[in-house]
Coordinates of all heavy atoms in Angstrom, one line a residue:
R1 N 0.8 -1.2 0.0 CA 0.0 0.0 0.0 C 0.9 1.3 0.0 O 0.5 2.2 -0.6 CB -0.9 0.0 1.2 CG -2.0 -1.1 1.1 CD -3.0 -1.0 2.2 NE -4.0 -2.1 2.2 CZ -5.0 -2.2 1.4 NH1 -5.2 -1.3 0.5 NH2 -5.8 -3.3 1.4
G2 N 2.0 1.2 0.7 CA 2.9 2.3 0.7 C 4.0 2.0 -0.4 O 4.1 0.9 -0.9
G3 N 4.6 3.0 -0.9 CA 5.6 2.9 -2.0 C 7.0 2.9 -1.5 O 7.4 3.8 -0.6
F4 N 7.9 2.1 -2.1 CA 9.3 2.2 -1.8 C 10.1 1.5 -2.9 O 9.6 0.7 -3.7 CB 9.7 1.6 -0.4 CG 9.2 0.1 -0.3 CD1 9.9 -0.9 -0.7 CD2 8.0 -0.1 0.4 CE1 9.5 -2.2 -0.6 CE2 7.5 -1.4 0.5 CZ 8.3 -2.5 0.0
Y5 N 11.4 1.8 -3.0 CA 12.2 1.2 -4.1 C 12.9 0.0 -3.5 O 13.4 0.0 -2.3 CB 13.3 2.2 -4.5 CG 12.7 3.3 -5.5 CD1 12.3 4.5 -5.0 CD2 12.6 3.0 -6.9 CE1 11.8 5.5 -5.9 CE2 12.1 4.0 -7.7 CZ 11.7 5.2 -7.2 OH 11.2 6.1 -8.1
Q6 N 13.0 -1.0 -4.3 CA 13.7 -2.2 -3.9 C 14.1 -3.1 -5.1 O 13.4 -3.0 -6.2 CB 12.8 -3.1 -3.0 CG 13.4 -4.3 -2.4 CD 12.5 -4.9 -1.3 OE1 11.9 -4.3 -0.5 NE2 12.3 -6.2 -1.4
R7 N 15.1 -3.9 -5.0 CA 15.5 -4.8 -6.1 C 14.6 -6.0 -6.0 O 14.6 -6.7 -4.9 CB 17.0 -5.1 -6.0 CG 17.9 -4.0 -6.3 CD 19.3 -4.3 -6.3 NE 20.2 -3.2 -6.6 CZ 21.5 -3.3 -6.6 NH1 22.1 -4.4 -6.3 NH2 22.2 -2.2 -7.0
P8 N 13.9 -6.4 -7.1 CA 13.0 -7.6 -7.0 C 13.8 -8.9 -7.1 O 15.0 -8.9 -7.5 CB 12.1 -7.4 -8.2 CG 13.0 -6.6 -9.2 CD 13.9 -5.7 -8.4
K9 N 13.1 -10.0 -6.9 CA 13.7 -11.3 -7.1 C 13.6 -11.7 -8.6 O 12.7 -11.1 -9.3 CB 13.0 -12.3 -6.2 CG 13.1 -11.9 -4.7 CD 12.4 -12.9 -3.8 CE 12.4 -12.5 -2.4 NZ 13.8 -12.1 -1.9
C10 N 14.4 -12.6 -9.0 CA 14.3 -13.0 -10.4 C 14.5 -14.5 -10.5 O 15.1 -15.2 -9.7 CB 15.4 -12.3 -11.2 SG 17.1 -12.4 -10.6
L11 N 14.0 -15.0 -11.6 CA 14.1 -16.4 -11.9 C 14.5 -16.6 -13.4 O 14.0 -15.9 -14.3 CB 12.7 -17.1 -11.7 CG 12.6 -18.6 -12.0 CD1 13.3 -19.4 -10.9 CD2 11.1 -19.0 -12.0
I12 N 15.5 -17.5 -13.6 CA 15.9 -17.7 -15.0 C 15.8 -19.2 -15.3 O 16.1 -20.1 -14.5 CB 17.4 -17.4 -15.1 CG1 17.7 -15.9 -14.8 CG2 17.9 -17.7 -16.5 CD1 19.2 -15.6 -14.7
I13 N 15.2 -19.5 -16.5 CA 15.2 -20.9 -17.0 C 15.9 -20.8 -18.3 O 15.5 -20.1 -19.2 CB 13.7 -21.4 -17.1 CG1 13.0 -21.2 -15.8 CG2 13.7 -22.9 -17.5 CD1 11.5 -21.7 -15.9
E14 N 16.9 -21.6 -18.5 CA 17.7 -21.6 -19.7 C 17.3 -22.7 -20.6 O 17.1 -23.8 -20.3 CB 19.2 -21.8 -19.3 CG 19.8 -20.7 -18.4 CD 21.2 -20.9 -18.1 OE1 21.9 -21.6 -18.9 OE2 21.7 -20.3 -17.1
A15 N 17.1 -22.3 -21.9 CA 16.7 -23.2 -22.9 C 17.9 -23.8 -23.6 O 19.0 -23.1 -23.7 CB 15.8 -22.5 -24.0
P16 N 17.9 -25.0 -24.1 CA 16.7 -25.9 -24.1 C 16.6 -26.8 -22.8 O 15.6 -27.4 -22.6 CB 16.9 -26.7 -25.3 CG 18.4 -26.9 -25.4 CD 19.0 -25.6 -24.9
I17 N 17.7 -27.0 -22.1 CA 17.7 -28.0 -21.0 C 16.8 -27.7 -19.9 O 16.4 -28.6 -19.1 CB 19.1 -28.2 -20.5 CG1 19.2 -29.6 -19.8 CG2 19.6 -27.1 -19.7 CD1 20.6 -30.1 -19.7
G18 N 16.4 -26.4 -19.7 CA 15.5 -26.0 -18.6 C 16.1 -25.9 -17.2 O 15.4 -26.0 -16.2
M19 N 17.4 -25.6 -17.2 CA 18.0 -25.4 -15.9 C 17.5 -24.1 -15.2 O 17.4 -23.1 -15.9 CB 19.5 -25.2 -16.1 CG 20.3 -25.1 -14.7 SD 22.1 -25.0 -15.0 CE 22.4 -26.6 -15.6
I20 N 17.1 -24.2 -13.9 CA 16.4 -23.1 -13.2 C 17.4 -22.5 -12.2 O 18.0 -23.3 -11.4 CB 15.2 -23.6 -12.5 CG1 14.2 -24.2 -13.5 CG2 14.5 -22.5 -11.7 CD1 13.0 -24.8 -12.9
N21 N 17.5 -21.2 -12.2 CA 18.3 -20.5 -11.2 C 17.5 -19.3 -10.7 O 16.6 -18.8 -11.5 CB 19.6 -20.0 -11.8 CG 20.6 -21.1 -12.0 OD1 21.1 -21.7 -11.1 ND2 20.9 -21.4 -13.3
N22 N 17.7 -18.9 -9.5 CA 17.0 -17.7 -9.0 C 18.0 -16.7 -8.3 O 19.1 -17.2 -7.9 CB 15.9 -18.0 -8.1 CG 16.4 -18.7 -6.8 OD1 16.8 -19.8 -6.8 ND2 16.3 -17.9 -5.7
G23 N 17.6 -15.5 -8.2 CA 18.5 -14.5 -7.6 C 17.8 -13.2 -7.4 O 16.6 -13.1 -7.2
V24 N 18.6 -12.1 -7.4 CA 18.1 -10.7 -7.2 C 18.4 -9.9 -8.5 O 19.5 -9.9 -9.0 CB 18.8 -10.1 -6.0 CG1 18.2 -8.6 -5.8 CG2 18.5 -10.9 -4.7
Y25 N 17.4 -9.3 -9.0 CA 17.5 -8.5 -10.2 C 18.2 -7.2 -9.9 O 17.9 -6.5 -8.9 CB 16.2 -8.2 -10.9 CG 16.3 -8.0 -12.3 CD1 16.6 -9.0 -13.2 CD2 16.0 -6.7 -12.9 CE1 16.7 -8.8 -14.6 CE2 16.1 -6.5 -14.2 CZ 16.4 -7.5 -15.1 OH 16.5 -7.3 -16.4
Q26 N 19.3 -6.9 -10.7 CA 20.1 -5.7 -10.3 C 19.6 -4.4 -10.9 O 20.4 -3.6 -11.4 CB 21.6 -6.0 -10.8 CG 22.2 -7.2 -10.2 CD 22.2 -7.1 -8.7 OE1 22.8 -6.2 -8.1 NE2 21.6 -8.1 -8.0
Q27 N 18.4 -4.2 -10.7 CA 17.8 -2.9 -11.1 C 16.7 -2.6 -10.0 O 15.9 -3.5 -9.7 CB 17.2 -2.9 -12.5 CG 18.2 -2.9 -13.6 CD 17.5 -2.9 -15.0 OE1 16.3 -2.8 -15.1 NE2 18.4 -2.8 -16.0

């Protein structure tokens, strides 16, 4: 409800093998 700046979480799936990684988006 209140606003603030923060770096969101991110998820990457690499094609074609489908390897999944997660982290923090650098923006």
Side-chain angles (χ1 to χ4, degrees):
R1 294 188 183 279
F4 55 85
Y5 283 94
Q6 187 172 310
R7 290 181 178 179
K9 302 182 184 305
C10 54
L11 180 70
I12 301 171
I13 308 180
E14 299 183 22
I17 197 162
M19 183 178 293
I20 301 174
N21 290 292
N22 67 286
V24 178
Y25 205 70
Q26 299 304 300
Q27 290 183 357

